[in-house]
Each structure stands twice: as C-alpha cells, then as structure tokens.
Amino acid sequence: MFLNETIESLHRQLVSGETTATQLVNRAFDAIAETDPQLRAFLDLDPEGAREVAKKIDEEGIKDDELYKGIPIAIKDNIVTTQMKTTAASKMLENFVSIYDATVVHKLEDAGMIIIGKLNLDEFAMGGTTETSHAHTTANAWNIQHVPGGSSGGSAAAVASGMVPVALGTDTGGSIRQPAAYNGIVGMKPTYGTISRWGVIAFASSLDQVGPMTKTVKDNAQMLNILYGQDGHDNTLATIEAKDYTEKIGHPIAGMVIGVPKETMDATLVDKHIIDCTKHALKQLESQGAVIKEISLPLLKYGVPAYYTIATAEASSNLQRFDGIRYGFRAENAQDLEDVYVKTRTEGFGEEVKIRCLLGTYMLSAERYEDYFKHAARVRTLISQDFEKAFENVDVIVTPTTTTTAPKLKEYNTVEEEAVDRYSADLLTVPVNLAGIPALSLPCGFVNGLPVGLQLIGRSFDESTLYQVGYAFEQATDYHTQHPHMMKGEESR
Amino acid sequence: MIDKKQVLALAKTMKFSLTDEEADRYSHKLSEIINYLELIQEVDTTDVTPTYYGIVGQLASLREDVAEQSTQSEQLLNNASDTEGAYVRVPAILNDGQGGA
C-alpha cells in the first residue's frame, strides 16, 4: 500500500536503495490483489509491461534529480494507451487497443513513471457515480456501500485506498474534484489549455481537462509540473512559460483575500454539515492571517442548466465517430451500412450516453439552437464575467466541492433518484469548467465517516496560488493523514 | 415537453433505435431534464457575446499544415472488425443488389 507515501518519500527510498522500482511495482500489484476485489477500481492491468519497465529503471539507477522515476501510477480509462485496452467504460470500446499513446502517457513515461493500470469511470465520463460504467461499479474507499463519485471514480478510489500513490483523471464538469472530495484526496482541474487532450477520448471539448489526483497538495503540484505544456497536437493548448507549480508552496497566506460566495453557503442547496465543515476550514485559513470576504456569484444557479445544454450538445457531436466501422465494437447481423451504424450504436452505448446524446441533439436542432444552445453559450459568458468581477477583489474563491457526501450505491439506495437531482448536484463544480478557470479540491473534514472536500478556485493559469493555499490548509490540519477504515491496520511495506 | 415521437426522431438522427418502452421512458426523463434546463431562460442575455470555446484569454495556437509520412496503416486496419487487403469492409451501402463497397 502507498497510504503514507508521497512522491518525495518514494523518491528518497529509491535513491537511497531502500527500495527499488520493481519492489514498488510489486507493492502496487499486491495492494491491488488485496483491495481491488472490494473496490473494483481497475479495468485493466499491465503487470508484465510494468515489471519490464521497472527492471530497466533499476538497471539504469535513479538519480537524485529524477523525482518521478520508478514511481507507479494508474490512469483513467478514457486516456488511450498502446500497452493496455482503452474502453472509456463502454461496450463500444470494450476490446479497443489504441495504436498511439496519449500525450500525457508520453509525459509520464518521459519522467520515468510506470503506468500499471487503467481505472474505471462512468461510460465516456458521463456521470457522477461511476455507476454508468459498462464494466462494473466501483465502491467508495471509505465505505463500500457508497459511490466513489465520478466520473473519475476509479482514480479516486485507487489513490484513497493506497493501491497507487497517484493517478490521472479528467474533469468536464467536476469529474476530478467531486470524486476527490468523496474519497478524501486532492484533485486539480487545471485551467483549460494547460494539459494536452491528445489521446483523451472527447466528451465535451470546450470543457474537458486532464488533471492529477493525489494524496497530498505537493504531490499534485509536482504532477502538474510534468503534465502541462504544448505538444504540437492539441491546438487548444495555451502557451505557458516554463514554470514550477510548487513555487508558492510553503509561502504564508497572511493577508491573502479569500472570497466566499454566499450562494454556496446556502443550506437549501448544500448539506448543512458540509457548510459547517467549510466554515470550520475558513476559520482555519483566517487563523493563518487570510482575510475572509463574502462575495456573490449571482448566476451560480444557472451554471448547471447552461453546462448540461452545452456539454450534451458537444457530446452528441463527439460521439458520432463511434460507428462500428474503423475501430471498436461492431454489431453482428447488419443488413446494410445504415444497419451497421444503428445496431452498433444501439447495442454499444449505455442509457446515460443515449439520454445525453438525445438531449444534445435536441439542443442543436434548428428550432432550438438559438433559444437553447446559443443562449446557454451567452449565459456561459456571463458566468465567466461573474468570476472575473469577483477576482478583482479576491485572490482565491473558496466553496464546498460538493453539496453532499458520497451517496449510496444504487443497490443500497431505497429511494430512486431523479436525473434532475443528479445533475443539480454538480452545482458547485460546473461553473468552473464553463469559465475555464482552475480549481483544486482537498479534504476538509468528515460527515458520518465520509470525507468532505473544500474547493479552491483561482484566476486563469494561477494554479500555484491554489497549491499555496491548499498546502497551508493541509499542513495545519490532519485530514490528509487519515485513511479509509477498511484499510486501517493493513499498512505494510 | 418532448413526446415519444420527437424522441424517436432524435434517436434516428443519432443513429440508434429505441424500443417502445425506452422511447416512453426517455420522453418522460428528457421532458423533466429540459424543463429544468429552461431555468436559464430567466437570464437576460441581450447583447452578450456567446462563448463557444474553452480558451481562456487567448487564441488557439496555430501551426503549419505539414504532411507527414504515417507508417501505421496496418495497425489501423487491425482496429477494424472487418477488412480485406488494405480496405475496411462494410455491408452493402445501397439496397440495389449491387453489393457493398
């Protein structure tokens, strides 16, 4: 297990010879063998490939300045790999192996990290529970009767349970931050344009971003250091000068102005225990000299409807490519070409994907385009401007990450939830994607044994300040040192 | 509101078929969702420029369109479920008895 490890602690052990890359890879697979039968976070594993890479690294040796070399990592299964299948948790791609690796895969490998497996998600990243996965459901690391969140639910559960020290997720409307919050780990949705999406299966292209999911804030910043930057493939990437995202870590936060939108502390929208945890966290930040200031994001409640209008429209277009012809699943017994498309897509997509594609097609239809899609795109502009105005007076905005703790898995839930309730639970995360700005979720408490996340929202390309504030909070609290109960007493090296 | 007939028409556009039961269930579900999404109609967006791209404060980066030699055609063909030589095979495109492409 890697429960008490960080990138730096593992690096020190590797450099001193206390452990080897091979031992770390074995440790990951031992932890997976022990824990994953309960959590079911993984969709594919590459023990042979990982051991081969580890052996080569051990032969080469690990130098002091090779911070990432020899450290195991797992990635969300909507990121394409040549060494393992990439399914996006869909029947449509259940046996798909990519002929190229995503840019982020190259970046991890260039840094010497060892990719050991692929992690479960909601089908095509559409969902907030990992229950829409065609393969199987993943459980929350803190209570296996609860959802891990989603769509990066596998990534969050794997890191929280110590099966891997770090993982990658993707975030279109909260898919990194919400599962990070539900599992008591740290998750960053960087500014749009920070990390290449080359080789990341598209859901809603104007919103999708890749990001790191880690146990600690510093690990997260260190991961972003090797993930950002242009690759010549993704033309939406911003030009970012060489930078160190850990640059402000350890700097005091005294005098920093933290804005708290009053709309996010409304007990009619957010569980009151979560509001209490957030207030407690704000007091902690205040005790370090931060100035807490109430602000307003008047359009917050329009974020979810604007998001679902835009995201489903983009998804309905992106998912046209799955036609059963060039790759992926193809239905049998088709009479003609049209029949191949229709049978393949009918059998290949799950219900949530179909619902969202129908909704997106509706939004883009000639009669609705102006009133729905274009109107939502205008609301998106106004939401961005709300944030811009707020950042004229504050350095960072703090909100809860989620409106509740992780709900129960469907099989344990007696009340059937309506789609609208599920969508509206994304209240606090989606406005950030619409504005393209960065946000970090980190642990800030527990309610009935389930973790609660604190969301720090920043100005565009100012991830460093979020890490600064996140680190200051983390070091003053002990939430990140607590481990899921099912794991207690099982820590071994 | 969106009725069963509209749902079936949308499904046709998206190229998947729905059973009668699905079309019924989806029309209820979609009506409920669309009703909720209509909340944004309250927002006055007169003279507001829409945002269609995620790019923050800058334009997409451009590059020269340079032709590159790809050597992956064989691997690409391996990803298709039905191939013949250097081609992907599909069933008949036209129902004119002339066979497929």
Side-chain angles (χ1 to χ4, degrees):
Chain A
M1 301 250 174
F2 296 96
L3 288 173
N4 292 316
E5 302 288 9
T6 62
I7 291 173
E8 282 178 347
S9 74
L10 292 170
H11 174 64
R12 278 195 300 272
Q13 293 165 46
L14 285 162
V15 171
S16 71
E18 201 182 318
T19 192
T20 63
T22 302
Q23 282 170 353
L24 290 188
V25 165
N26 287 338
R27 194 163 141 190
F29 286 113
D30 288 347
I32 291 166
E34 191 180 327
T35 307
D36 209 42
Q38 287 180 80
L39 293 185
R40 303 210 293 169
F42 282 89
L43 289 178
D44 202 3
L45 295 168
D46 183 20
E48 278 172 30
R51 289 195 174 105
E52 207 173 297
V53 176
K55 189 166 167 254
K56 196 166 155 265
I57 287 172
D58 287 331
E59 282 163 9
E60 286 168 7
I62 295 164
K63 294 193 203 77
D64 211 29
D65 62 350
E66 296 172 316
L67 180 61
Y68 310 88
K69 195 170 176 184
I71 296 177
I73 183 168
I75 63 176
K76 189 175 179 179
D77 201 29
N78 58 351
I79 300 171
V80 302
T81 47
T82 53
Q83 301 306 310
M84 281 173 277
K85 285 191 286 189
T86 302
T87 68
S90 179
K91 181 180 168 69
M92 190 60 93
L93 293 172
E94 63 185 345
N95 294 309
F96 174 68
V97 179
S98 169
I99 68 161
Y100 71 103
D101 285 304
T103 293
V104 290
V105 168
H106 286 296
K107 284 184 180 281
L108 296 175
E109 288 176 349
D110 290 348
M113 296 194 86
I114 306 173
I115 301 172
I116 62 150
K118 305 293 289 287
L119 292 156
N120 201 12
L121 64 154
D122 285 291
E123 185 178 2
F124 286 108
M126 294 182 192
T129 64
T130 312
E131 290 176 308
T132 73
S133 168
H134 171 68
H136 50 73
T137 306
T138 296
N140 189 293
W142 290 79
N143 185 330
I144 57 170
Q145 291 195 1
H146 289 252
V147 304
S151 64
S152 310
S155 304
V159 171
S161 62
M163 290 192 278
V164 279
V166 286
L168 292 190
T170 62
D171 190 316
T172 304
S175 283
I176 285 174
R177 292 160 286 154
Q178 183 253 42
Y182 282 178
N183 287 277
I185 65 163
V186 181
M188 168 64 92
K189 197 291 284 184
T191 309
Y192 186 88
T194 299
I195 301 179
S196 170
R197 286 102 44 88
W198 174 253
V200 180
I201 296 172
F203 162 13
S205 305
S206 79
L207 302 160
D208 299 339
Q209 264 297 289
V210 180
M213 301 175 77
T214 59
K215 292 288 283 185
T216 69
V217 171
K218 194 171 185 184
D219 274 357
N220 206 288
Q222 285 172 333
M223 285 306 299
L224 193 54
N225 274 347
I226 56 167
L227 293 169
Y228 80 97
Q230 294 196 341
D231 64 348
H233 293 306
D234 178 352
N235 286 4
T236 63
L237 282 170
T239 308
I240 301 173
E241 299 295 320
K243 75 190 276 178
D244 176 6
Y245 286 98
T246 67
E247 62 187 355
K248 289 185 176 174
I249 277 182
H251 291 199
I253 59 162
M256 193 173 272
V257 183
I258 292 175
V260 182
K262 59 174 194 262
E263 295 83 0
T264 67
M265 301 292 268
D266 176 350
T268 62
L269 300 171
V270 182
D271 181 280
K272 76 174 179 38
H273 300 294
I274 297 220
I275 293 179
D276 289 344
C277 284
T278 311
K279 282 184 178 158
H280 195 71
L282 289 166
K283 279 220 170 69
Q284 209 304 312
L285 293 168
E286 200 170 23
S287 76
Q288 295 191 45
V291 181
I292 309 299
K293 190 175 168 173
E294 188 182 90
I295 60 166
S296 176
L297 293 173
L299 295 172
L300 186 89
K301 68 171 177 179
Y302 302 110
V304 174
Y307 168 82
Y308 276 94
T309 303
I310 293 165
T312 57
E314 292 186 22
S316 71
S317 171
N318 271 326
L319 268 60
Q320 300 278 11
R321 71 189 56 160
F322 299 102
D323 57 8
I325 305 296
R326 293 151 297 144
Y327 55 85
F329 168 75
R330 187 196 285 192
E332 292 182 358
N333 304 321
Q335 302 306 310
D336 54 28
L337 189 61
E338 178 74 9
D339 209 26
V340 172
Y341 298 147
V342 173
K343 282 204 168 108
T344 297
R345 293 166 65 83
T346 302
E347 294 170 29
F349 290 141
E351 176 161 326
E352 182 66 23
V353 172
K354 283 179 186 157
I355 291 271
R356 292 200 192 195
C357 284
L358 293 171
L359 189 59
T361 309
Y362 180 80
M363 295 304 168
L364 291 174
S365 62
E367 315 86 75
R368 310 283 166 184
Y369 177 82
E370 195 69 34
D371 289 347
Y372 287 76
F373 182 71
K374 205 166 177 183
H375 185 69
R378 290 194 176 102
V379 172
R380 180 177 186 174
T381 304
L382 293 173
I383 288 172
S384 290
Q385 289 171 354
D386 258 10
F387 277 113
E388 273 166 38
K389 264 180 241 152
F391 281 122
E392 283 170 12
N393 303 307
V394 303
D395 298 302
V396 170
I397 294 172
V398 171
T399 73
T401 307
T402 59
T403 55
T404 64
T405 52
K408 281 194 165 171
L409 283 158
K410 259 194 205 109
E411 58 188 296
Y412 299 106
N413 207 342
T414 45
V415 193
E416 173 137 18
E417 221 184 4
E418 301 291 340
V420 168
D421 296 332
R422 270 191 288 119
Y423 292 177
S424 59
D426 299 340
L427 174 80
L428 302 166
T429 51
V430 294
V432 167
N433 299 76
L434 291 171
I437 54 183
L440 180 76
S441 179
L442 75 160
C444 76
F446 295 90
V447 174
N448 297 326
L450 289 167
V452 176
L454 188 71
Q455 179 173 238
L456 313 181
I457 306 170
R459 295 187 180 102
S460 289
F461 303 108
D462 193 16
E463 285 81 1
S464 297
T465 302
L466 302 184
Y467 288 133
Q468 178 190 359
V469 178
Y471 185 79
F473 179 75
E474 179 190 74
Q475 294 304 304
T477 55
D478 65 355
Y479 306 115
H480 68 293
T481 63
Q482 300 185 37
H483 306 312
H485 303 302
M486 59 173 291
M487 310 300 158
K488 265 189 184 159
E490 292 175 8
E491 175 69 332
S492 61
R493 280 233 324 265
Chain B
M1 267 303 287
I2 175 163
D3 62 29
K4 196 168 155 182
K5 209 175 130 196
Q6 284 173 290
V7 169
L8 287 167
L10 290 171
K12 199 168 180 218
T13 308
M14 279 308 291
K15 294 206 186 297
F16 46 73
S17 61
L18 299 175
T19 63
D20 208 46
E21 181 274 325
E22 282 170 335
D24 249 340
R25 193 153 46 85
Y26 290 14
S27 79
H28 287 297
K29 219 168 174 173
L30 284 165
S31 296
E32 188 202 336
I33 297 168
I34 291 163
N35 188 37
Y36 169 58
L37 301 194
E38 274 173 359
L39 184 66
I40 52 171
Q41 300 303 330
E42 291 173 17
V43 185
D44 180 6
T45 60
T46 319
D47 298 331
V48 176
T49 312
T51 300
Y52 295 118
Y53 304 103
I55 316 288
V56 180
Q58 59 181 318
L59 297 170
S61 60
L62 299 174
R63 60 169 172 79
E64 290 300 314
D65 188 17
V66 185
E68 283 176 44
Q69 187 71 41
S70 169
T71 54
Q72 295 175 309
S73 55
E74 208 170 294
Q75 287 167 279
L76 268 175
L77 282 165
N78 284 338
N79 268 334
S81 61
D82 196 1
T83 56
E84 189 178 309
Y87 299 96
V88 174
R89 190 163 58 190
V90 296
I93 291 173
L94 301 167
N95 286 318
D96 61 357
Q98 297 300 305

